[in-house]
Amino acid sequence: MVFILLWGGLVASLLGLTIPLQDAVMGALAGYLSLWSIYWLFKLLTKKEGMGYGDFKLFAALGAWLGWQDLLPVLLIASLAGAIIGGIAMAFFKSSNKIPFGPYLAVAGWIMMFWGESLINAYLKWSGLA
């Protein structure tokens, strides 16, 4: 299903329905390779797997739809949400189970698709950079 999302984003871009094709291709590459690199760095350092291959593919698909420029905010939103919800789960439910990252990536991608520009502009205004 993620490959359909990835190819759909690239084709939509090719047809001029979304972002420029170059941004979509770079977004797909950057999305996949960034999480793939983090995965291997973590695995080399800890000898454990920190995430699954589906996370790389989903992040690549988000890059194809949103472009490489929105990947960092997606990753930040997903990580923040995962940390908050995971922390709550650990505190209240004494759970030490692994929590999938994919749902957080999906929600963060959805947020960036609809409200990304507003969020970035609000952050830039708040930080004094705009």
Side-chain angles (χ1 to χ4, degrees):
M1 188 141 101
V2 176
F3 283 130
I4 294 169
L5 187 63
L6 171 65
W7 285 106
L10 294 173
V11 169
S13 177
L14 179 66
L15 296 175
L17 301 174
T18 59
I19 61 176
L21 182 60
Q22 184 175 353
D23 289 345
V25 171
M26 291 302 297
L29 286 170
Y32 189 89
L33 293 175
S34 61
L35 290 188
W36 179 85
S37 299
I38 292 168
Y39 167 87
W40 281 105
L41 181 64
F42 184 81
K43 188 168 183 172
L44 288 171
L45 293 174
T46 66
K47 309 292 189 247
K48 299 177 187 175
E49 293 185 1
M51 69 179 76
Y53 283 73
D55 297 329
F56 317 156
K57 297 170 194 169
L58 178 56
F59 205 41
L62 291 172
W65 281 97
L66 300 172
W68 63 270
Q69 302 91 333
D70 284 348
L71 288 177
L72 183 59
V74 167
L75 192 59
L76 292 173
I77 292 168
S79 298
L80 182 62
I84 291 170
I85 293 171
I88 291 169
M90 288 171 61
F92 288 106
F93 303 111
K94 307 293 185 230
S95 173
S96 62
N97 294 338
K98 294 180 182 176
I99 300 173
F101 192 48
Y104 300 110
L105 282 174
V107 169
W110 190 259
I111 288 169
M112 284 302 295
M113 184 171 283
F114 290 103
W115 302 289
E117 189 174 338
S118 298
L119 287 172
I120 290 172
N121 288 337
Y123 172 76
L124 292 174
K125 185 177 179 182
W126 172 80
S127 67
L129 297 172

